[in-house]
Every structure is written in structure tokens, then in C-alpha cells.
Amino acid sequence: MKLFFSILLIFVINTLHSQNIQSPSKNIELQFSVSNDGKPTYSISFKGKNIVKQSTLGMQLKEMPALESGFSIINTETKSVNEPWKPVLGEVAVIQNIYNQITYFLDQIETGRKMNVIFKIYDEGVAFRYEFPRQEKLNYFIISDEKTQFNLTGNHKTFWIPGDFDSQEYVYNETKISEIDNSKLDMNNGIALKSIKDNYRIQSPLMMKSTDGIYINIFEAAVVNYPIMHLNVLPNEFQFTSILVPNAIGNKAYLQTPAFSPWRTIMISDDARDIVASKMILNLNEPCKIEDTSFIKPMKYIGIWWEMHVGKATWDYTGSQTASTAQNKDLKPAVKHGATTENTKRYIDFAAKHGFDGVLVEGWNVGWEDWFGYGKEYVFDFITPYPDFNIQEIADYAKSKGIKMIMHHETSGSVANYERHLDRALNLMEKYGYPAAKSGYVGKIIPRGEYHDGQTMVNHYNFVAQRFADYKMMINSHESSRPTGYSRTYPNYLAAEAARGNEFNAWSNGNPPMHETILPFTRLLGGPMDYTPGIFEIKMSVYDSSKKEQVHTTLAKQLALFVTMYSPLQMAADLPENYEKYPDAFQFIKDVAVDWQDSKYLEAEPGDYITVARKEKNGERWFLGAITDENARKTEIKLDFLSPNKKYKATIYQDSKTADWKNNPISYEIKTIEVSNKSILKLNLKNGGGTAVSFEMK
Ligand code: NOJ
Ligand code: CA
């Protein structure tokens, strides 16, 4: 047996070191080999063209020899997989999951340790992960660096944000690879550059386009018990290398065999729509672990929230904390507490009247007086309401109106404190019938030295989703690490923020008009975002004539975002009194669905525009959203997605002829026409504008 095994070993070492494998369509081909000194390397081509040049793979370990060289391929295993699955909530009712897989079993001959590399080749990209099988010589170990290279073949256009280990709330920079440099960033971006010491460190997902029109996206999937991957850039060599987010003492990941790294993904297509429509990141995650998913429901909600962001109300009871006074203690104490029983009832009434599912209330609990910037470990207990928030009375009132209350758990970064209180907080939610919570991680993480994107915090966010599932509750996190498809495994993790949301338009220089055309190519690949669209009063001067801030879109584009930014949790973020001023436009928000049978990406170009049509689940209505960047855009859309031989009433919400995001943003027109699947719809999007359409079968 032993003799046979060593003969086999020699045989495979000689023959297996360069087996190529293709995607099901054969468009994408992976080459893998070990170099003369035993370094694992890979390269990728698309339609015969080299996209990723030979790039090395490897791990550096703490106080142990590296897993970088000296490897031989001792075996390979291939399989073809076709495993469609049904997401609990999603953009489509059935997700196709079709790929070819190859595993390279590697032995580091000198140390006798094993490390495998598993590749999955999809039609829209390649994913690979490191596997550390159970073995005596590699049991418990610490990763000090992951050295995964992505060597690209040209000076592509990129959409990048700086490699802040604590936040992704940045505007995207559109530059060539050779121009990536954090030192050139506008420091007045509305957020302090928190923990960026390196000019050449950026975040993934990284969206790119080559000069010959190939779209490339570097990201990761299934980050579980592992830190988030950022990228180090060698701008003139077009080279990216993984950087794992460290813990407080500089270690990256603590693992015990058997263990895996997350999947490293490289999506490639010559059609940008393939990237935004791809379900590769979700597919690479484990199937759903929640047995009874009946408690997981999509939600359209409003909230006591924008009032604080525009400075009309405060989170804290004493009336000193608006979004701007939190950062500047000299500003005069503001107005009044938002989360009162009376105000909450007003929102519940409005939600019930207009068919919303839920109401979020921020600032309901004790702690907001000194929640920000003090670095206090113990700020909130998540169970003690302010005296003017009668939680019992509100729970009863919401129930009587058929409205679900959404809990708010701002942790102010004090994660140990949140974990200590979590079960008590969940018990309170259960007692008062709250089915969902929004969490927040504003500020530096406590325990000190940990980053939002480190392994400990990744485990925390995942643990919270699991604990919420135990209580049959849903969660939406803000300021967490950006998701990597974990909502397949825990679909009660409804949404996350983890990018620069609409809120920045209230109190900073905001999100430029191209922002929402990039998010579907980056942040949204990992899972739904709580972007909070639907702001109608675009200019903040309505609240205070001295204010210069504004939303960087037209009103019609705010409507279209409900369709272009997929999420089963959608907030209509503006104030009830503002919606009452524009009841005809508000009708679209009332009508639009949040869970989908099907989605068709009709047009897409990162940084420029996106048009998508979606069909509601359990119904015949379709909704279309089209958005553009700062440039006006005319386009014609074939309505061939509609059912044949049927007539539809199309209600079109569009920019008026004179609309413009900066000078005339609230100017819109609404018209109704009859269409069929043979019709062509002419769209006329103004600068920073958009169009939203609902189609109802006649
Ligand atoms: C930041 C969140 O993104 C925002 O939605 C929330 O209102 C504040 N933190 C306070 O928790
Ligand atoms: Ca935020």
C-alpha cells in the first residue's frame, strides 16, 4: 500500500502541476501551477485574453515557517456542480449556482504540512480559497499575513475607496490604477480618515474596467472567522496584494485545523450587467442554517431618524445631540427629543395610513447624552427607555395599528458591552413585540485596538445574526464590516449599511451623483444595503436657511433608488410631513415592492448609469428604476420583460424638462400610459436624475 502510494505520488507530481480548467461556458480559464521553488501560482484568462497574470498564493504564519513555497501538487480533484437554490428573500426567486471546481492538494515536502487550494470557476468569474486540513503538524496557528496576489495586465480604470480598517463610508475615487494614492484624497470628505497610515491601501470590492471594455471586480465571499481583506497596491505594476485587517497586537487570524480562508473572487465580463446581476458572492456562502425561516419578512419602514440628521430633533432626552452638535459641543443645544411617545404614535399613524410595515425609533433609550467621542465602555444598556418614551403604550398602539416596531441598538463601538447585554436586549424586544433591530457601531471599537474589520468583529457581527435567529428576529447593522454574502446562511441578517449612505447628504458634502451608480458594482455584491432612499426635501435649507447641504440627486432619482438599490429592507427616509407635501410622488414609494420574483438588469455602466426592472414576488406588477450620474441621459428601454399579450398601465415618475439635481431637484412629472411587452419606453434622465416606473397588469 505504502509503495503504491509513493509511486502514485511521483506520478501525480509529474503530471498534475499545470492542469487548466474552464468555466461552464468556456469563456473563463484558470491556469494553476507550482513554480520551480514550489510556490503556488495562478493566472486567469477571459475569451483567450490574459486578465490576471501569474500571481502567487501563500500564507505567512506567526512563529512557524510560511506556507508560501516548497509545495508539490500531490493530487487534484475536479467536479461540475449545478445547484440552484431559493433565497428566503431576494432579487430573484431561484438563484442559479453553476460552476466547475478543482482542488489542488498541496504538500510542503520539507515540513510535511498540507494546504489545499480550491477553485470554483463560474461563467462570470473565479473564486478560490485556502484549505488547511486537519493535520498533526498544523493544528492551532496564527496567520500573520496572507500573500494573495492579483497581478493585472493593464492600467485599468478603478473605483476605489481608501483602506480604512474602521469604515467604508467614503465617496468613490475614479482613477487609473497608476493614480491610486490616498495622500491625494480630499480630507474634507465628511469623515475623518480614521486608520489609514498607508497611501497605497484600498478596500475591496474593487471595481475596474480595462481600456478594451472588460469589467473586473476583486472581492471576497464567506468571511467567517477571518478578518476582512483590504488590498495593497503597487500602482505602476498594476499589482494588488491581500492585506488582512489586524487585531490589537497585529495578528491577523487565529485558526485551528480543519480551517478555510474566505473565497477570493475575481469577476470578469465584457458586459457590465453580468457583474451587477451576479449571485456568485451569495453562492459561495453556506446554505441557510435557520430551519424555520417563516419569521423572516421583507420590510418597508419609516422612522424617527431623519429628524435628527437634519437637526430638527435630538437623540438625547436633554436636547443637545443632533448629528452636528455631537461633533461640536459649542453649538447651541438644539430643539427637542425626537423619540417621544407622542411623536412615535404620529409615525405609527402615518405608517398605518400609508401601508408601511415598520417604524424605527432612534434615541429611545438612556445613554445618548454622552454616547459619542468619549470612548466610554458602558454607555447604553439597551433596555432602559427615556421617561418620555412609554414602551408599553407604544407597543400596544403599534400592535393595534398592525405596525411592527424596529428596535435601535447603537453600541457606540462598545462591543463587549453589547454582547454582555444582548440577551437582555433581545428579551425586551420579545416582550414588546419588536421583530427586528437596527444596530450601530459608531466610533472606535472597545475593546481598544480592535478594528471594525478585524476577525473578532467579523465574528461578532455573525454571532449577533445567529443570536437574533435564536430569538426569531431580524437584524440590520450600520458601521459593521461590509457583508460578503452571509445573508445566504443567515437570511435574518436583512441588510447592513457598510458604505456611505444617504445620511451623508444631510450633514456633509454628501454623495456625488455617481455614487449610487457604483454601489451596485461594489458594496451591493455582498448583500443588501440599508441606503435609506426617498428624500424629497432635497435641500437642507428648508430646515435652516443657512444650510448649504443637499441631496445630490433629483427627487425622481430618489424614487428610482428603491428599485436600483436592492434590499428587502427599505426605509422611506424623509419626514412624514415632507411626504404629505408631494402625495403623487409618494405613491411610488407606497406601491414599490421589496421582495422579488425576478430582476432584469437592462443597462449598467459603473460610475455612469444603471437601469433595472424587477417583478414582485406573488404578484404581476413590475417596477423599473433608472438612474444616471451628473450627466443627463436619454435612453430607450424595450419592455419585452413584461408578459406577452397583456396590457399594462405604466405610471412613470420622471424628472421634469427643467429638473437638475443642483438647481431644480424637486421638479418632476408623473404620467400614465398603456404599454405591452412590444412597447419601447423612452427615458429622459436629467443631470443627477432618474426615472421610476410601476407597471400594473390591466
Ligand atoms: C450612524 C448610522 O448610520 C445612522 O443611521 C444612525 O442614525 C446614527 N449612527 C446613530 O446611531
Ligand atoms: Ca453610518
Side-chain angles (χ1 to χ4, degrees), residues 474-520:
M474 300 178 284
I475 177 75
N476 159 31
S477 61
H478 278 227
E479 295 87 41
S480 58
S481 57
R482 80 280 188 282
T484 57
Y486 199 59
S487 57
R488 176 176 183 190
T489 315
Y490 279 90
N492 66 320
Y493 201 158
L494 274 195
E497 184 193 40
R500 196 170 160 109
N502 222 0
E503 63 184 19
F504 274 78
N505 286 312
W507 35 255
S508 78
N509 59 353
N511 306 341
M514 75 166 177
H515 189 62
E516 297 95 348
T517 70
I518 302 168
L519 288 170

Side-chain angles (χ1 to χ4, degrees), residues 116-133:
N116 307 329
V117 187
I118 308 168
F119 287 89
K120 292 186 177 184
I121 327 294
Y122 292 81
D123 280 343
E124 75 271 28
V126 173
F128 61 87
R129 78 179 345 173
Y130 300 84
E131 180 185 18
F132 309 97

Side-chain angles (χ1 to χ4, degrees), residues 277-313:
S278 172
K279 300 290 172 283
M280 198 170 126
I281 302 297
L282 285 177
N283 278 334
L284 289 162
N285 278 265
E286 293 288 311
C288 181
K289 290 209 165 124
I290 302 174
E291 238 166 69
D292 173 10
T293 56
S294 59
F295 70 95
I296 302 172
K297 298 261 178 4
M299 263 186 148
K300 221 188 301 179
Y301 74 105
I302 58 169
I304 300 184
W305 180 75
W306 192 242
E307 327 196 344
M308 282 82 95
H309 286 271
V310 300
K312 207 174 162 254

Side-chain angles (χ1 to χ4, degrees), residues 592-607:
V592 69
V594 281
D595 190 27
W596 308 99
Q597 177 72 25
D598 199 5
S599 291
K600 306 261 183 221
Y601 285 89
L602 304 170
E603 303 176 308
E605 181 62 29

